[in-house]
């Protein structure tokens, strides 16, 4: 599996008793790990005994630290050097309340020619890969249709292309026909409406209906299939050749951290697609999404993003399957 995750970062996780805006606080503990959505996906793939090649832009000023952290956890990296510093993601965990707050930095602005070198490096690796996952935000200065170009390159090589990225980049990618897009509900609605998605928080109801309509809309805009995740509620799956969407429920667990759950979901889908390609069988999107849901749910029981116990994921998959057929949510017109 080839994972395009250009905007690598360092996750700095701070454990606080309680976060008080406007106050000075002391962290009880700090952990620094390699981060980025694609890094989380690769962790899941390795947990299931698979191999994944991470194609990332590696900031030259922090190269040693970033690559050292990735090597320590067994990641395989296709390094494309880029000037500047690596971005940081601040993850603040309140031990008294259990709340988790995440602030993602944008990353260094790309120098001229860096993206072209990155896309060319991915192009050299595509032959022999059945699945390309384009995951995570794009660094400032990236082409508007950066992921779209990678999707088209994957299709030329006969590979499936999956995309999970920020709303604006997601919207720009849809015209290239990604085989699956997998945003969460707020990201999907931001991509469809054209809003920034700079702050993602939502408490409105009608989640299954909203997620189903968002999935259908993403398909109308060009995606061949769309899976819109809605946290512990479930996932809406739509395909471009159908006017309906399926609502697949998850099962409740005791959540330790939901950070990276969407990445674990996409990893589960990608693992299913790779298995189908190896068996030369047709893709069963519903089965792939259900497996992704089980892996995402299992990941929520662990603190590290992308951490998952395969045996626990299989047990959760059996529970999801036991709920019976997915509910079909009919939609309106275009």
């Amino acid at each position: 599996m080839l994972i395009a995750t250009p905007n690598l970062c360092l996750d700095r996780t701070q454990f606080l008793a309680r976060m008080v805006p406007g106050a000075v606080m002391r962290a009880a503990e700090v952990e620094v790990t390699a981060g980025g959505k694609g890094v989380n996906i690769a962790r899941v793939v390795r947990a299931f005994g698979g191999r994944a090649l991470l194609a990332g832009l590696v900031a030259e000023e922090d190269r040693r630290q970033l690559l050292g952290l990735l090597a320590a956890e067994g990641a395989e990296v296709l390094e494309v050097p880029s000037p500047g510093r690596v971005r940081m993601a601040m993850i603040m965990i309140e031990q008294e309340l259990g709340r988790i707050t995440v602030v993602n930095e944008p990353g260094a602005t790309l120098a001229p020619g860096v993206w072209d070198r990155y896309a060319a490096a991915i192009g050299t690796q595509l032959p022999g890969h059945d699945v390309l996952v384009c995951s995570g935000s794009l660094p400032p200065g990236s082409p508007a249709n950066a992921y779209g170009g990678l999707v088209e390159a994957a299709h030329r090589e006969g590979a499936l292309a999956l995309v999970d990225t920020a709303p604006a980049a997601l919207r720009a990618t849809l015209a290239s026909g990604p085989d699956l897009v997998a945003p969460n509900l707020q990201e999907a609605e931001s991509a469809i409406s054209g809003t920034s998605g700079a702050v993602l928080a939502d408490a409105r109801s009608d989640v299954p209906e909203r997620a189903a309509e968002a999935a259908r809309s993403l398909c109308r805009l060009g995606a061949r299939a769309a899976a819109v995740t809605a946290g512990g509620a479930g996932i809406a799956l739509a395909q471009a050749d159908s006017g309906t969407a399926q609502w697949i429920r998850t099962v409740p667990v005791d959540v330790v951290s939901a950070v990276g759950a969407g990445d674990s979901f996409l990893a589960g889908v990608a693992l299913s697609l790779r298995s189908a390609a190896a068996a030369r069988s047709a893709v069963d999107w519903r089965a792939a999404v259900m497996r992704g849901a089980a892996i995402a749910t299992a990941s929520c029981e662990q603190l590290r993003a992308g951490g998952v116990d395969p045996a626990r994921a299989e047990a959760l998959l059996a529970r999801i399957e036991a709920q019976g057929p997915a509910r079909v949510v009919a939609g309106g017109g275009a």
Side-chain angles (χ1 to χ4, degrees):
M1 186 185 307
L2 181 58
I3 303 173
T5 185
N7 213 10
L8 292 168
C9 71
L10 295 173
D11 285 349
R12 189 173 184 87
T13 303
Q14 301 178 344
F15 296 87
L16 312 171
R18 180 190 295 257
M19 188 168 65
V20 182
V24 176
M25 294 160 289
R26 293 186 182 277
E29 184 182 350
V30 177
E31 180 184 31
V32 179
T33 58
K37 294 175 74 64
V39 173
N40 301 336
I41 291 170
R43 285 184 184 130
V44 174
V45 173
R46 292 196 303 274
F48 280 83
R51 295 184 63 184
L53 179 61
L54 282 168
L57 293 170
V58 176
E60 293 172 338
E61 294 184 43
D62 298 297
R63 177 180 181 275
R64 178 176 296 181
Q65 181 183 16
L66 180 59
L67 292 181
L69 289 168
L70 287 168
E73 61 179 81
E76 299 179 54
V77 181
L78 172 64
E79 174 191 359
V80 178
S82 180
R85 303 297 303 264
V86 69
R87 70 188 181 105
M88 297 288 295
M90 304 300 295
I91 303 168
M92 290 159 279
I93 299 177
E94 297 176 80
Q95 295 170 311
E96 291 181 2
L97 302 176
R99 295 186 304 188
I100 300 178
T101 302
V102 180
V103 179
N104 290 315
E105 294 182 357
T109 300
L110 293 188
V114 170
W115 184 266
D116 290 340
R117 289 193 288 107
Y118 180 72
I122 290 176
T124 65
Q125 297 295 323
L126 276 171
H129 284 94
D130 298 311
V131 179
L132 170 69
V133 181
C134 300
S135 179
S137 62
L138 293 167
S142 300
N145 191 32
Y147 277 148
L150 300 185
V151 168
E152 292 164 6
H155 287 166
R156 288 193 295 270
E157 295 293 338
L160 295 172
L162 315 183
V163 179
D164 180 18
T165 185
L170 177 63
R171 177 69 182 241
T173 306
L174 294 172
S176 297
D179 296 281
L180 178 79
V181 294
N184 66 37
L185 177 54
Q186 289 74 48
E187 290 168 334
E189 291 181 335
S190 293
I192 293 162
S193 65
T195 53
S196 69
V199 178
L200 298 173
D202 188 88
R204 290 165 48 199
S205 57
D206 305 322
V207 168
E209 290 75 15
R210 287 170 52 207
E213 177 54 30
R216 290 190 296 265
S217 295
L218 291 168
C219 288
R220 290 195 289 264
L221 290 168
R224 297 178 183 179
V228 176
T229 61
I235 303 102
L237 169 65
Q239 293 174 251
D241 57 1
S242 172
T244 62
Q246 301 178 64
W247 176 249
I248 299 168
R249 289 181 296 147
T250 57
V251 292
V253 297
D254 292 329
V255 175
V256 174
S257 172
V259 175
D263 309 328
S264 297
F265 167 77
L266 191 56
V269 174
L271 284 167
S272 295
L273 300 186
R274 193 177 64 178
S275 296
R280 300 185 182 276
S281 59
V283 173
D284 184 337
W285 286 107
R286 177 174 174 271
V289 167
M290 291 177 72
R291 187 181 188 194
I295 292 175
T297 305
S299 77
C300 290
E301 297 178 318
Q302 300 199 25
L303 182 60
R304 174 169 289 192
V308 64
D309 177 354
R312 176 60 172 163
E314 293 303 319
L316 290 169
L317 176 58
R319 289 175 56 191
I320 292 172
E321 292 173 336
Q323 295 180 128
R327 177 162 68 93
V328 174
V329 184

